[in-house]
Amino acid sequence: MVVWGGLRPIAARIVFDVVAVIGLSYSTFSLVENDKSTSEADESNGLKKKKKEKKADHTNHWNGLVLVASLVVTVLTAGNFTNRWTLTFPMVPIFILQGLRRIPVLERNRWTRGIICILSGLFILLGIKLSILFPAVELPPVEGPFHVGTVDLHIPVTNKVTMELGGNFTHLPIRILYPTLEKPNPVPYLTPATAIEYCRETMKLGAPDPIQNFGWMLHTWRLTHIQAKEQAQLIPPNGDTTTSSTGSTPKFQKLPVIIYSHGLGGTADIYSFQTLSLAAKGNIVVVMNHLDGTGPIAKTKSGQAVIFDHDISKMNTTIGDQMRRQQTKIRVNELLIVTEAVLEMTSKDTEEVVE
């Protein structure tokens, strides 16, 4: 099933979400039904009443376990509390309401139980609606004769090309994607080391004022994975295993090299589908993570974070125009550095591109 733009719901996530909703529904409504049957017990029959009370305690015990299990399963399968916030956030008031129902004074009052049941049901419906509005999706499979290998590197800034970054950065972060015959593994769509910062800065960049600080609303993207193999072997020449004159190292054929520069507000992660598609068709793709402040987040080799320069919003002003010219100059220099590095690497065995 396609949601939009080729994106597809994550099947496993749908299963876990449905299980959680069923668990919440059981915890909410089974207790009310049980309370009713207990209240209608024949008081003149003490033995019958005692059996019903024992049954009620047993049901309420399982009811609480199912409620806790629904939250635990959702959090564990999502990785943390906010990755599937569409369900975990509504679970909080449901937990509070179900806890109130177990207070003896409130438990004996039919009206109180009914109100709590209705409110809990509304929060369950809210969780279902939010999960539909913010689905956990995955990228469609790329088409091509090869699988894709990937490696993240830092290109040293040489004296041949100077840069005016102001941060005295010594390396440029890049990602290389390339064709391989090795089977891929699920790789996080957003780089784990910068995923939270990326979500936060992206919300500040594109969301309206009231929710700009709600970066957790994008944490669902952290559930998405791409199919690639980190540090995979480059494809052998012409699909065979011909070795070099030394008889020990395969000779790798020369492949087309594409240098991919992300747009304003982009990163190497965001263009994964495009770059994976290019690599699957037999190209080596060098993806830039620009350090000019046009991306939500980029990490230098030393771990310093370069976040989006929000002053770009002044684009139609003199200051804004000057900033954009400066960023364009930085980008050109970065592209020259990467191009020079690629030319240097291609003068050696192609395998060294991924070392």
Side-chain angles (χ1 to χ4, degrees):
M1 181 177 65
V2 176
V3 181
W4 66 80
L7 298 176
R8 306 178 305 172
I10 301 175
R13 189 68 257 160
I14 294 177
V15 173
F16 290 130
D17 289 353
V18 170
V19 168
V21 170
I22 292 174
L24 292 174
S25 301
Y26 171 82
S27 300
T28 296
F29 300 113
S30 65
L31 187 58
V32 171
E33 181 180 349
N34 186 69
D35 285 341
K36 273 188 181 178
S37 62
T38 302
S39 64
E40 292 170 359
D42 187 1
E43 301 248 355
S44 63
N45 190 336
L47 182 60
K48 184 177 180 181
K49 180 181 178 183
K50 190 172 183 180
K51 287 182 178 179
K52 282 188 174 263
E53 288 177 346
K54 186 176 180 180
K55 181 180 178 181
D57 291 340
H58 181 74
T59 302
N60 292 346
H61 173 72
W62 280 104
N63 181 287
L65 290 179
V66 171
L67 183 65
V68 173
S70 298
L71 176 61
V72 172
V73 168
T74 302
V75 172
L76 289 181
T77 57
N80 59 44
F81 191 79
T82 58
N83 281 359
R84 202 61 183 133
W85 64 270
T86 57
L87 282 178
T88 54
F89 283 18
M91 283 182 182
V92 173
I94 292 174
F95 261 75
I96 295 173
L97 290 169
Q98 296 306 309
L100 291 175
R101 282 175 60 183
R102 285 165 170 76
I103 298 176
V105 175
L106 300 178
E107 187 181 15
R108 290 192 293 266
N109 189 305
R110 180 175 298 181
W111 285 101
T112 303
R113 293 200 311 266
I115 292 172
I116 291 176
C117 178
I118 292 172
L119 290 175
S120 297
L122 290 175
F123 279 114
I124 292 174
L125 290 175
L126 175 63
I128 294 173
K129 189 168 185 178
L130 288 173
S131 297
I132 294 173
L133 291 174
F134 297 88
V137 295
E138 60 185 358
L139 298 175
V142 297
E143 297 180 358
F146 304 107
H147 298 305
V148 179
T150 179
V151 62
D152 290 331
L153 300 172
H154 289 83
I155 297 295
V157 177
T158 65
N159 293 329
K160 296 178 182 178
V161 182
T162 59
M163 298 176 61
E164 299 178 9
L165 293 176
N168 295 320
F169 303 124
T170 59
H171 292 76
L172 296 178
I174 63 170
R175 174 170 297 165
I176 301 178
L177 298 96
Y178 51 93
T180 182
L181 298 180
E182 297 185 30
K183 291 185 177 180
N185 299 320
V187 177
Y189 173 60
L190 296 180
T191 303
T194 57
I196 293 177
E197 293 94 333
Y198 174 84
C199 293
R200 182 179 63 244
E201 295 302 323
T202 299
M203 284 296 289
K204 290 180 181 179
L205 170 62
D209 289 339
I211 60 172
Q212 281 188 349
N213 293 321
F214 297 168
W216 47 263
M217 292 184 70
L218 299 182
H219 283 191
T220 301
W221 293 358
R222 300 174 67 190
L223 299 173
T224 303
H225 288 74
I226 60 175
Q227 293 296 317
K229 180 68 179 292
E230 295 179 320
Q231 302 285 347
Q233 184 77 22
L234 189 67
I235 58 172
N238 303 318
D240 59 32
T241 57
T242 304
T243 57
S244 66
S245 57
T246 62
S248 59
T249 305
K251 271 190 168 181
F252 290 87
Q253 58 183 314
K254 289 186 179 295
L255 299 172
V257 177
I258 299 171
I259 299 178
Y260 201 105
S261 173
H262 67 72
L264 185 65
T267 63
D269 293 337
I270 294 305
Y271 290 94
S272 291
F273 180 75
Q274 292 87 339
T275 53
L276 283 168
S277 298
L278 292 169
K281 291 178 173 60
N283 301 288
I284 294 178
V285 187
V286 182
V287 194
M288 313 255 327
N289 264 322
H290 288 292
L291 299 177
D292 60 353
T294 57
I297 181 73
K299 282 285 184 72
T300 65
K301 187 176 182 180
S302 63
Q304 179 181 349
V306 180
I307 62 174
F308 185 80
D309 190 343
H310 293 277
D311 287 335
I312 296 178
S313 59
K314 306 170 183 176
M315 287 183 67
N316 293 325
T317 65
T318 302
I319 296 177
D321 290 342
Q322 291 176 349
M323 289 180 57
R324 292 298 290 141
R325 289 193 188 97
Q326 178 66 12
Q327 287 179 326
T328 301
K329 182 178 180 181
I330 293 172
R331 279 190 165 227
V332 169
N333 286 336
E334 288 180 326
L335 286 167
L336 289 172
I337 291 171
V338 172
T339 301
E340 186 179 66
V342 169
L343 290 173
E344 182 180 353
M345 286 187 284
T346 54
S347 66
K348 307 173 184 178
D349 286 341
T350 310
E351 185 182 17
E352 296 186 21
V353 174
V354 296
E355 287 187 348

